[in-house]
Amino acid sequence: MASLLLAYGHSADQEGRWMRFTQQLGRWGQPKIVVDNRPETFFAEVQGSNAQFEFSGYLEGLDALIAQHGPQARIFVFNDSLWSHHSPRRWAEFLKNYEPRRGPGVYGDPRLEPIEVNGRPLRHLASWMFLLEGSTGQQAFREALQHALQHFDESPDWPGYDEFLAHYYAPSRRWGGYTQALSPEDLERKMRCSWAEHRLSLHLQHQGMMHPFEGLHYQGLHAVDRALSAIKRLKSK
């Protein structure tokens, strides 16, 4: 059991919140490790390269975690949007008591997009968190990450995908998608991270290793997260 946090600018305040969160996870939260993609980190154990943003950080953190603490039965992976778009206390309660009924694999917070890829609706795991169950699940996650990183700068050629993302990130949108204005540099970063997020899940699906969270507890938690995101969007207007 272990937990990994990917941050950009891991401060003393965030370290305190991370400690409280991993304590709330109980035995599943330890050992813990932080990767900071911001240069000259002080509070994190691992200095991330930020080469491919959160995705390279996840791989670097996973390698460091195994090297320092050895194999783990279960690994939780988060990025620092845990505190800006989600309810940490509720997620800790949910994850602490979660039973991965489908066995080894990669569990997470699913999204369904209004586009088809290879004849099927695009369903993927949101890349802010993952539950890696068993060594098989951890290896599947590593392989999917490596696949996403290998193609990080390549736009997928799925029919209609460019138009879907352009609409998703359109600055004129008032609801749904990404509703904050982005600089050209930030838009390029966001687009590449979307490509990686979707490729990662499609690779996991191909392996039979993607397991979306289900059930009433999860649905209630997801509704709370959507409300928090909506409030954040309104405040940003």
Side-chain angles (χ1 to χ4, degrees):
M1 294 81 76
S3 51
L4 186 162
L5 174 68
L6 186 281
Y8 191 88
H10 187 61
S11 63
D13 177 67
Q14 190 176 86
E15 176 64 16
R17 285 181 286 167
W18 174 237
M19 288 184 66
R20 287 191 295 275
F21 179 73
T22 54
Q23 288 168 356
Q24 290 168 342
L25 283 173
R27 65 190 181 97
W28 298 109
Q30 304 295 330
K32 58 185 176 61
I33 197 168
V34 177
V35 180
D36 193 347
N37 268 350
R38 187 171 182 174
E40 300 181 0
T41 184
F42 181 75
F43 292 99
E45 291 89 348
V46 179
Q47 175 67 70
S49 69
N50 205 33
Q52 289 88 22
F53 312 111
E54 65 192 79
F55 297 93
S56 56
Y58 286 154
L59 188 59
E60 291 159 0
L62 194 60
D63 287 343
L65 179 63
I66 300 300
Q68 293 181 26
H69 301 288
Q72 303 292 322
R74 180 181 300 173
I75 299 175
F76 293 120
V77 177
F78 305 92
N79 70 28
D80 52 9
S81 70
L82 169 65
W83 292 284
S84 59
H85 291 77
H86 307 281
S87 173
R89 179 180 60 81
R90 291 181 175 89
W91 272 101
E93 179 184 2
F94 172 75
L95 293 170
K96 180 173 66 175
N97 299 304
Y98 187 75
E99 291 292 338
R101 300 185 183 279
R102 296 188 182 182
V106 180
Y107 293 75
D109 186 12
R111 302 287 186 270
L112 183 64
E113 306 296 355
I115 184 175
E116 290 192 352
V117 174
N118 300 326
R120 301 176 60 184
L122 175 56
R123 195 181 194 201
H124 63 96
L125 303 181
S127 60
W128 76 274
M129 73 84 55
F130 302 94
L131 185 163
L132 315 182
E133 183 68 9
S135 59
T136 303
Q138 292 157 33
Q139 182 60 29
F141 184 65
R142 177 188 296 278
E143 291 175 2
L145 271 176
Q146 290 171 333
H147 172 74
L149 293 173
Q150 181 181 355
H151 300 282
F152 192 79
D153 294 318
E154 302 171 16
S155 175
D157 59 1
W158 308 318
Y161 183 76
D162 288 344
E163 292 80 4
F164 155 70
L165 272 193
H167 179 65
Y168 185 89
Y169 287 114
S172 59
R173 292 193 68 169
R174 298 183 61 84
W175 200 255
Y178 196 88
T179 57
Q180 299 181 36
L182 294 168
S183 68
E185 294 78 11
D186 284 340
L187 179 59
E188 281 296 312
R189 173 176 57 84
K190 286 287 186 181
M191 297 280 275
R192 280 165 171 72
C193 286
S194 289
W195 304 344
E197 181 178 60
H198 299 152
R199 279 192 172 109
L200 187 150
S201 283
L202 289 172
H203 196 274
L204 289 172
Q205 288 179 47
H206 183 71
Q207 296 173 301
M209 288 284 110
M210 188 182 102
H211 304 320
F213 290 136
E214 299 174 326
L216 292 176
H217 191 171
Y218 166 71
Q219 292 172 19
L221 181 56
H222 180 72
V224 170
D225 277 3
R226 294 302 90 201
L228 291 173
S229 292
I231 292 170
K232 183 177 177 67
R233 283 172 180 153
L234 290 172
K235 288 182 176 179
S236 69
K237 295 298 184 181

